[in-house]
Amino acid sequence: MSLFLQRMIEGLSNGAMYGVVAVALVIIFKATTLINFAQGGLAMFGAYMANVFAIEQGLPLIVGILLGAAVMAVVASGIERVLVRPFDPANHLPVVLITFGIAYILQAVAAWKFGTEFKSFPSPFPSGPNDHIEIAGARLRYERLGVVLVLMIMVGLVHLILNKTKIGLAFRAVSSNTESAKLVGVKTGRTLNFGWALAAMFGGVAGGLVAHFTQLDSGFMDKILIFSFAAATLGGLDSINGAVIGGLIIGLVESPVQPMVRDYVPGFHFLTSDLALLVAFLLILAVLLVKPAGLFGTTRVERV
Amino acid sequence: MSVLEVQDVRARYGQIEALHGVSLNVEDGEVVVVLGANGAGKTTTLRAICGMVATTGTVNLHGTNIVGTDTADIVRMGVAHVPQGRGTFPELSVVDNLNVGAYVRKDKEISADIDKWFEIFPRLAERRTQLAGSLSGGEQQMLAVARAMMSRPKVLLLDEPSLGLAPLIIDDLFKQFASINAELGTTMLVVEQNANLALGIASRGYVIEAGEIVLSGTAEELRNDDGVRAAYLGV
Ligand SMILES: Nc1ncnc2c1ncn2[C@@H]1O[C@H](COP(=O)(O)OP(=O)(O)OP(=O)(O)O)[C@@H](O)[C@H]1O
Ligand SMILES: [Mg+2]
């Protein structure tokens, strides 16, 4: 029981990190209906920037992570302006290829600038051996609970921005009907640029949280990106709440569900954690086949 | 001076030229109608004015040529466009559709204006939190008009507002156009196939055929023109 509970909180906190990255994917998808495969690279680079600000320059870690995320927001805004905007938004392939290219460039630059060895990265939350609360014999570590808390704060924040600010209103308008958005005077280019920055900011924060659990290297977000993509697909690619719930579900599938199946269902010994990625891929496939709109995605209701 | 002056405008979709030198003008506070069959180039004319199609020629808005100007900036100059098929934001609530209609405004009277349009279109008020995509066709058309008016435009472009609506709703809508024009002095360019109705609120009109203006005159003249009567009035 206590093991189950412990694995569950682990799964939820992993899921929270997938959720944050999934929200970033959803923000871009809502506005452009394409997947930004550079999201992982942006998050990875953000974590390295956090490392520079916090570990090398000695700023408080939380400030370092936020600064890293802010730097990535600026970088993403530049990428959108220079590399994405010149392309016809209706033609997805070039833009998707560009996001792949950006991901590789970011990895190469990170390896070149920051080295290829794994670096350990601290948690912004208390993470000593005794920093936990004990419930029913299970140790719920603060570093894990903290991640879930950050997810909740970030999701609240994105809802606030999208629903209560003018730029958020413009963003929703562009997402809903780009042509009509122009007709009410919204500058669609600027609005998408804001979306890129906001998404990169999310990714950057996620990077700064994940790095503690995986260690820092130029590819540490790759696996997370796949899980987040699975999360966003499961939740419905255009639903923020769907991305969060999708993330938590994926986290719970990874732990405790997968180890439970492995340990207790006869014939499933092979289901080691190395296969988690495969499970995520299968989940993406299954969702796309069975329910392409995901759990919470919208199929448009539109009368003409 | 004309508020809107279209001179020798050509517009193309890729290789295909859809307007072959269209000229028309709309005076301050006037309602002008453009009649034409399917595919004649009515929608393209309005799109050319708003910078939504590749255009050459001149479109003077208050004397300034706006060909080549960004659509969003043309809107900021006081033009509102209700596109064919309404162009509401289906994933936004009714009230957010109106809010975003006021996107270019900076004054403090936006919510008062929303209340005003809810008074004019009470059916929208009852559905203020409903998503626009779930409204009926008539309700969406009302929303599209209210949304356009939320920017307090000088010039309102209406693309077949009667399309697909029941006769009673159409009558109501055109009464609203007439009163918007009378009370707010909004200049209007209305594209219609329902000539009877449109000529009822217009002072002048043009007939467009295959991308060219083939006839123009006062509403009275057009109503009595044999060609117009046969083609657009069904008599
Ligand atoms: N996006 C487009 N791509 C290519 N050709 C187009 C496009 N839109 C319109 N056209 C062509 O331009 C011409 C004028 O079209 P337009 O939509 O302006 O006609 P319309 O008078 O508004 O017709 P309707 O009454 O059916 O709305 C037509 O021949 C049409 O086929
Ligand atoms: Mg048309």
Side-chain angles (χ1 to χ4, degrees), chain A residues 188-201:
Chain A
T188 51
R190 255 181 238 171
T191 308
L192 291 182
N193 195 273
F194 161 80
W196 273 76
L198 186 66
M201 169 96 198

Side-chain angles (χ1 to χ4, degrees), chain B residues 39 41-44 84 159-160 191 193:
Chain B
K42 305 182 297 295
T43 295
T44 307
Q84 191 167 355
D159 196 342
E160 297 205 43
V191 155
Q193 298 201 47

Side-chain angles (χ1 to χ4, degrees), chain A residues 208-277:
Chain A
L209 292 177
V210 175
H212 170 62
F213 298 103
T214 60
Q215 293 205 316
L216 198 52
D217 95 304
S218 65
F220 86 94
M221 284 300 294
D222 293 358
K223 191 183 119 187
I224 311 289
L225 182 66
I226 303 292
F227 282 132
S228 305
F229 183 35
T233 313
L234 178 63
L237 276 166
D238 61 355
S239 164
I240 302 243
N241 293 339
V244 173
I245 292 168
L248 295 177
I249 291 176
I250 301 276
L252 288 175
V253 166
E254 193 189 6
S255 166
V257 174
Q258 186 175 330
M260 287 296 195
V261 171
R262 182 193 61 211
D263 293 349
Y264 297 115
V265 182
F268 275 86
H269 309 295
F270 66 90
L271 206 61
T272 56
S273 59
D274 300 340
L275 289 178
L277 216 53

Side-chain angles (χ1 to χ4, degrees), chain A residues 23-74:
Chain A
V23 168
L25 291 173
V26 164
I27 290 171
I28 301 287
F29 185 87
K30 276 174 94 70
T32 56
T33 64
L34 57 84
I35 301 294
N36 177 11
F37 288 99
Q39 205 73 70
L42 288 165
M44 172 276 295
F45 215 93
Y48 268 112
M49 295 310 294
N51 192 59
V52 169
F53 289 125
I55 313 303
E56 292 175 19
Q57 307 291 329
L59 291 172
L61 184 59
I62 214 94
V63 176
I65 290 177
L66 290 176
L67 276 179
V71 168
M72 293 332 287
V74 174

